[in-house]
Amino acid sequence: MNGTITGIRVNTAKYTFIMCCTPRQGDYNLYCHCYKREWLDKHIERAKEGIRFIDSDYNEKFRLADGDKIRITRDNGKQFDRTCQYIDQVHLEVGNNLYHICEFAERMEQAGNTVIPPFLSTG
C-alpha cells in the first residue's frame, strides 16, 4: 500500500468533500478537497468526452480518457509515457505540466516528437 492513493467522496446538498490519503511509511498524508457539488458533477460529465489531442492546425488526432497515458517518442527513438488529466475542453495536464491543447501540439511538433496513446504502440 506504499504510495497508493485512497479516497472517499462525501456529498452534501451543496458541496462535495473528497478526502484523499497517500500512505507512505513514516509520512501519512491526508488531504480534504471541497467543491461545489453541482460544479464538480458538471466537470466530471465534461471530462467523460475525453482529452483532445490535436495538431497545430487544430485537426483532432485522437482522444484520451482522463487519467490515461500518452506515449511520446522523441526524434532519437526514446519513448516515455505521461499521465494526462482533463482540465477543461482546451487545457490538459501532462505529467506535472499544464498546457493549452494547441500549445502542447506546437511544442511536440517543434521538438520532432510524436504522441500516441500507448495502446497504439507497436512495441
Side-chain angles (χ1 to χ4, degrees), residues 85 87 91-100 103 107:
Q85 297 294 318
I87 302 300
H91 294 92
L92 74 151
E93 190 175 271
V94 179
N96 294 322
N97 299 303
L98 181 65
Y99 297 98
H100 185 280
E103 174 193 9
R107 286 186 180 208

Side-chain angles (χ1 to χ4, degrees), residues 18 24 29 34 36 41 43 47 54 69 73 81-82 95 100 102 108 117 120 122:
I18 299 178
R24 287 186 286 260
N29 297 302
C34 181
K36 282 197 170 186
D41 290 343
H43 175 79
I54 61 171
K69 293 183 179 186
T73 304
D81 294 348
R82 291 289 181 266
H100 185 280
C102 193
M108 293 297 105
L120 292 180
T122 58

Side-chain angles (χ1 to χ4, degrees), residues 7-104:
I8 186 170
R9 176 178 171 159
V10 178
N11 293 321
T12 68
K14 290 187 178 183
Y15 299 99
T16 294
F17 299 91
I18 299 178
M19 303 287 291
C20 297
C21 181
T22 308
R24 287 186 286 260
Q25 190 166 348
D27 181 20
Y28 301 96
N29 297 302
L30 177 66
Y31 300 94
C32 180
H33 304 276
C34 181
Y35 303 92
K36 282 197 170 186
R37 183 177 178 180
E38 180 182 351
W39 293 359
L40 179 61
D41 290 343
K42 284 181 184 178
H43 175 79
I44 290 169
E45 273 305 306
R46 286 190 300 266
K48 289 179 183 176
E49 296 174 13
I51 302 167
R52 289 187 310 144
F53 286 84
I54 61 171
D55 62 24
S56 59
D57 292 321
Y58 273 85
N59 298 306
E60 187 170 311
K61 295 168 62 178
F62 62 91
R63 286 186 183 241
L64 190 72
D66 183 33
D68 279 356
K69 293 183 179 186
I70 54 170
R71 174 155 298 149
I72 300 172
T73 304
R74 293 190 173 155
D75 59 359
N76 65 5
K78 183 178 177 185
Q79 296 181 333
F80 52 98
D81 294 348
R82 291 289 181 266
T83 300
C84 299
Q85 297 294 318
Y86 176 90
I87 302 300
D88 61 32
Q89 293 176 334
V90 294
H91 294 92
L92 74 151
E93 190 175 271
V94 179
N96 294 322
N97 299 303
L98 181 65
Y99 297 98
H100 185 280
I101 60 173
C102 193
E103 174 193 9
F104 182 74

